[in-house]
Amino acid sequence: MVTRENGAIAVFGATGQQGGAVVDALLARGARVRALVRTPKSDRAQALAARGVELATVRIDDPASTVAALEEVDAFYFMTPEANSLEEIEEEVRVGTALVDAAAAARVPHVVFNSVSGADRETGVPHHDSKHRIEEYLKLSGLRATMVRPAAFMENFATVMAPSLEDGTIVLRLPLPNDIALKMISIKDIGQVAAAILLDTADVPGGAIEVIGDEPTGPQIAAAFGARAGLPSRYEALPLSVLGNDLDKAMFRQFAKPSEYPSDLAAVKAIEPTTWDLAEWIRSTGWTAPADRVRS
Ligand SMILES: NC(=O)c1ccc[n+]([C@@H]2O[C@H](COP(=O)([O-])OP(=O)(O)OC[C@H]3O[C@@H](n4cnc5c(N)ncnc54)[C@H](OP(=O)(O)O)[C@@H]3O)[C@@H](O)[C@H]2O)c1
């Protein structure tokens, strides 16, 4: 095995949510970080540079650029871009496999792939199966690899899954049955876990970890927001037909199936003892109830 010490940790996606959290956690641990970026002059890339992050310009279509960016690094973290169509799924796999090829060519000692919960197998969820394909490709590369498999982001409750306030009641509506526990994690904690693995301060038996911080049901999620707001709460399970995107339909269909294996929150907490549960995420992010939609 190739071993190097005190080199940089390379991060692909550093200007994004998860990669950004990985950079935050690495810098907090005193690591040298090299961000693989496509637009070094962008505001986000420049903000990283201002914090001491090295910038390496990469183009996925130019393998030499990614191989050069990965020379002499101790470890490499990569995520793959969001895919909202079958065409984008193929692009996601293309990006992921190209990064694996580059890591192999640069003989990177340890590669950490930011996959997704459940990607140990094919599930019929296109944007999860894409990550399964990348995981399999990475395993075949012969590189030392660790799969970090995050559950749904808690941050979704600030955007696409935000609860509303209706006639003094916090209301959450999701296309998920009442009794199903939704696995979730804060993006900050994805960064913490990935950073510990990249710096070899965490042990991941089996080379993969599902990263969750909580798994409440819909009514429990609504209650957590209600408790924070000091208001009553209500959960309404919606049919899958409310979703406009077939990929999301496949994902929520999968979420509704009983889990085929238990979540291992203890393994996550062993790496990051302060991993947030949903109540802590709500408190720490300063969430406040939205304006009331009083019905006339
Ligand atoms: N939403 C959820 O609940 C959830 C849960 C688990 C997993 N996921 C998965 O998480 C992934 C999205 O992660 P995220 O939210 O952290 O992404 P994000 O914030 O959208 O960031 C994407 C990053 O990838 C970079 N990038 C994209 N294409 C690139 C290219 N061709 N060359 C170089 N850099 C490129 C972007 O750089 P620029 O700044 O140049 O654009 C940016 O840094 C998706 O695969 C999704 O399926 C999501």
Side-chain angles (χ1 to χ4, degrees):
M1 188 176 72
V2 184
T3 54
R4 303 173 187 129
E5 281 183 9
N6 302 319
I9 307 293
V11 177
F12 179 89
T15 52
Q17 300 194 88
Q18 296 176 102
V22 174
V23 171
D24 291 346
L26 287 170
L27 291 179
R29 289 163 162 80
R32 259 183 68 199
V33 181
R34 182 181 302 165
L36 276 55
V37 298
R38 56 180 164 183
T39 319
K41 289 191 174 155
S42 74
D43 290 349
R44 286 185 180 179
Q46 284 301 311
L48 292 172
R51 295 166 68 203
V53 173
E54 300 166 22
L55 300 182
T57 307
V58 297
R59 288 196 313 281
I60 294 297
D61 290 331
D62 174 12
S65 71
T66 37
V67 176
L70 292 174
E71 293 292 350
E72 302 299 321
V73 298
D74 280 353
F76 173 40
Y77 162 96
F78 74 101
M79 46 69 68
T80 47
E82 187 86 32
N84 293 304
S85 66
L86 294 181
E87 199 179 24
E88 288 177 4
I89 295 282
E90 290 312 312
E91 175 62 11
E92 177 184 10
V93 174
R94 197 177 70 84
V95 170
T97 54
L99 291 171
V100 172
D101 287 343
R107 302 174 69 216
V108 172
H110 186 193
V111 176
V112 174
F113 173 42
N114 194 119
S115 180
V116 72
S117 176
D120 56 317
R121 67 198 76 185
E122 274 193 22
T123 56
V125 181
H127 54 304
H128 292 189
D129 288 349
S130 53
K131 293 171 179 66
H132 175 70
R133 284 164 65 190
I134 297 165
E135 286 198 8
E136 293 299 298
Y137 193 81
L138 178 51
K139 282 183 201 160
L140 287 174
S141 72
L143 292 163
R144 178 184 167 211
T146 305
M147 317 302 172
V148 167
R149 300 188 182 127
F153 301 163
M154 292 178 183
E155 281 69 12
N156 294 331
F157 292 111
T159 55
V160 287
M161 287 165 36
S164 55
L165 178 58
E166 300 173 23
D167 294 327
T169 297
I170 294 290
V171 182
L172 180 72
R173 297 183 180 89
L174 293 177
L176 198 66
N178 279 277
D179 57 342
I180 294 293
L182 181 64
K183 296 175 184 182
M184 57 183 71
I185 183 74
S186 76
I187 291 174
K188 166 195 81 78
D189 288 322
I190 298 170
Q192 296 288 353
V193 169
I197 295 169
L198 286 158
L199 295 173
D200 263 338
T201 57
D203 188 27
V204 181
I209 183 164
E210 183 185 53
V211 190
I212 73 153
D214 209 348
E215 43 185 343
T217 61
Q220 289 169 338
I221 299 168
F225 283 99
R228 180 67 186 166
L231 294 168
S233 65
R234 185 172 81 242
Y235 178 69
E236 291 179 14
L238 302 175
L240 283 179
S241 57
V242 298
L243 295 167
N245 182 315
D246 285 345
L247 275 61
D248 287 339
K249 275 186 192 151
M251 183 175 70
F252 274 93
R253 193 175 291 118
Q254 180 66 20
F255 283 166
K257 288 182 186 163
S259 187
E260 291 169 37
Y261 50 89
S263 295
D264 198 354
L265 181 56
V268 176
K269 290 240 175 187
I271 295 175
E272 179 47 48
T274 63
T275 300
W276 288 346
D277 61 12
L278 180 62
E280 186 59 30
W281 179 86
I282 293 171
R283 196 189 65 72
S284 299
T285 57
W287 177 87
T288 53
D292 202 339
R293 291 191 218 155
V294 180
R295 282 192 218 117
S296 51

